[in-house]
Amino acid sequence: MSLSVGIVGLPNVGKSTLFNALSSKQAEAANYPFCTIDPNVGVVPVPDPRFDALVKYAKPKNTVPATVDFVDIAGLVKGASKGEGRGNAFLSNIRDCDAIAHVVRCFEDPNVVHVDGRVDPASDIETINTELILRDLDTVEKRLEKARKGVRGGDKEAATMVAVCERLAAAFDKGRRAILVKPEDEREAAVLAELGLLTAKPMFYVANVKEDQLATRDTDPLVQKVRDVAEREGAGVAVICAAIEAEIMQLPAEERPDFLASVGLSEPSLNDVIRKGYAALNMITYFTVGEVEVRAWTIQKGDKAPRAAGKIHTDFERGFIKAEVIWWEDLIKYGSEAACRAAGKLGTEGKEYVVRDGDVVHFRFNV
């Protein structure tokens, strides 16, 4: 399963610069709106010290980290929900993504044009969210009209659709995204999923600053405006200097630590962006470890052992017998599966076992 995060924002906020840093694929980054017309996709490995430690331990012939697809989507503008600035195409690209990374400009620069002529992170966020909400409102109103006709005809499922759509419309009227409207039961959850709303997708914010703001990123007033919005929504925030991140990625690996230290960073801020994207998708990682391969497997948080096994092969899920589980730190500490078994650190789990983020698992199956 390919997991995708769409990078959105107003024109000239640093989306394509961020994408260039995230991916070896170079999207055009120019100082004018709509320079990126078709979405660019980059497959980005998820930084994970646990995976690195397991690779060092096992010294396998092959390694496969967890990955996330980042999609560079051209800048949205006010009126996009009505088709302004190629809005229809851009909003369609967002619909195909699993989560949204909303890049917000938090820096002043007279040489970089702001589409609205001023830097105001809260207003920029409102502009994008409003366009997404307006598009969803259009979808909800059309479904509501159809569902009300169904209710008059005695359709019980239509009654659920009416109830959900009316709550959504009320939330949209207050500027609240669909993800903040919680279903009351499984039927409502199914209706929400069926609607496929843009604002039902998980979102996190990327506050793009200049280099001289990195040292004060925890107290910067423009960044704080982004944090205030994110806190109200329960969303994550990553603070980066996209220009610096792109520069770091151009350096040889051995030169990066010194450069990072010179700008006050312990690791590239991109790592935080990638982790925030992974977390927004509500995903966790388990590992399979051997001499041939160390691999990170991406599953939904809360998945039980048979479903996790199915990520490897459908036969593993269909013929699931048991899962032999070791905590990743224990495997490294004790040095082998046999030593973990002797120390009581290897557990045998059945179909109801909920796989943890960081488990090393060996599945037993029979078909």
Side-chain angles (χ1 to χ4, degrees):
M1 177 176 63
S2 179
L3 303 168
S4 61
V5 177
I7 303 174
V8 307
L10 293 174
N12 297 335
V13 297
K15 299 182 310 303
S16 292
T17 304
L18 171 62
F19 178 83
N20 289 347
L22 282 165
S23 172
S24 58
K25 185 182 289 187
Q26 295 296 301
E28 181 185 6
N31 183 26
Y32 56 88
F34 316 124
C35 63
T36 308
I37 301 301
D38 296 315
N40 297 272
V41 181
V43 181
V44 182
V46 178
D48 192 334
R50 303 169 305 176
F51 179 79
D52 297 339
L54 290 168
V55 168
K56 185 177 180 180
Y57 153 78
K59 299 179 177 61
K61 296 177 181 177
N62 188 40
T63 61
V64 184
T67 61
V68 175
D69 290 358
F70 278 87
V71 184
D72 184 20
I73 298 172
L76 295 170
V77 294
K78 192 175 295 184
S81 60
K82 304 299 182 184
E84 294 292 330
R86 293 179 55 88
N88 290 330
F90 300 160
L91 291 168
S92 176
N93 293 332
I94 296 170
R95 195 178 301 279
D96 293 335
C97 295
D98 300 302
I100 299 171
H102 185 167
V103 182
V104 186
R105 177 172 169 173
C106 293
F107 64 88
E108 299 279 359
D109 188 339
N111 297 315
V112 180
V113 178
H114 189 290
V115 69
D116 288 334
R118 83 287 179 273
V119 176
D120 184 342
S123 178
D124 290 354
I125 290 172
E126 184 180 4
T127 295
I128 296 296
N129 284 346
T130 297
E131 295 306 321
L132 299 179
I133 286 171
L134 288 173
R135 173 52 65 93
D136 281 351
L137 179 60
D138 183 59
T139 299
V140 165
E141 286 179 339
K142 289 176 180 177
R143 292 303 298 272
L144 183 56
E145 182 181 358
K146 181 179 179 181
R148 282 172 173 162
K149 292 179 181 177
V151 169
R152 289 194 290 271
D155 187 340
K156 293 183 179 179
E157 291 184 3
T160 301
M161 178 66 77
V162 167
V164 171
C165 285
E166 286 180 344
R167 292 217 317 276
L168 285 166
F172 293 158
D173 188 53
K174 296 176 182 177
R176 299 175 69 238
R177 297 188 295 120
I179 198 169
L180 301 176
V181 177
K182 303 303 179 184
E184 295 183 356
D185 53 36
E186 290 185 1
R187 289 185 304 170
E188 290 198 355
V191 166
L192 280 166
E194 178 190 341
L195 288 168
L197 301 175
L198 300 176
T199 62
K201 297 180 184 296
M203 178 187 287
F204 66 101
Y205 294 98
V206 181
N208 187 18
V209 302
K210 295 181 73 172
E211 181 181 346
D212 59 10
Q213 294 171 268
L214 286 173
T216 58
R217 58 186 177 275
D218 292 335
T219 57
D220 186 275
L222 292 175
V223 173
Q224 188 57 46
K225 290 185 177 182
V226 179
R227 294 190 196 280
D228 290 343
V229 174
E231 185 176 354
R232 291 195 295 270
E233 297 180 354
V237 179
V239 181
I240 68 160
C241 173
I244 287 292
E245 296 297 316
E247 190 174 342
I248 291 169
M249 293 302 105
Q250 298 297 320
L251 293 173
E254 64 272 14
E255 294 180 17
R256 291 178 186 176
D258 288 342
F259 184 88
L260 285 166
S262 73
V263 294
L265 297 173
S266 58
E267 66 171 355
S269 299
L270 287 181
N271 289 359
D272 192 30
V273 174
I274 298 165
R275 293 185 190 118
K276 287 285 193 309
Y278 199 64
L281 293 163
N282 201 31
M283 294 296 173
I284 63 170
T285 303
Y286 78 86
F287 306 98
T288 51
V289 177
E291 293 180 358
V292 176
E293 181 181 83
V294 171
R295 182 165 187 151
W297 298 90
T298 298
I299 60 172
Q300 196 79 27
K301 186 176 182 180
D303 278 354
K304 295 181 180 179
R307 187 173 180 84
K311 294 295 179 180
I312 300 175
H313 196 284
T314 53
D315 285 350
F316 282 37
E317 182 173 8
R318 185 161 55 92
F320 178 88
I321 299 174
K322 63 182 179 180
E324 296 176 346
V325 181
I326 304 171
W327 184 242
W328 73 274
E329 287 179 304
D330 289 335
L331 181 57
I332 293 170
K333 177 182 177 180
Y334 289 92
S336 71
E337 183 177 311
C340 285
R341 188 188 301 274
K345 298 297 182 180
L346 186 152
T348 301
E349 307 292 350
K351 292 183 178 180
E352 295 304 308
Y353 179 70
V354 177
V355 177
R356 298 173 297 175
D357 186 22
D359 277 343
V360 176
V361 189
H362 180 71
F363 294 106
R364 302 291 185 183
F365 72 102
N366 183 39
V367 290

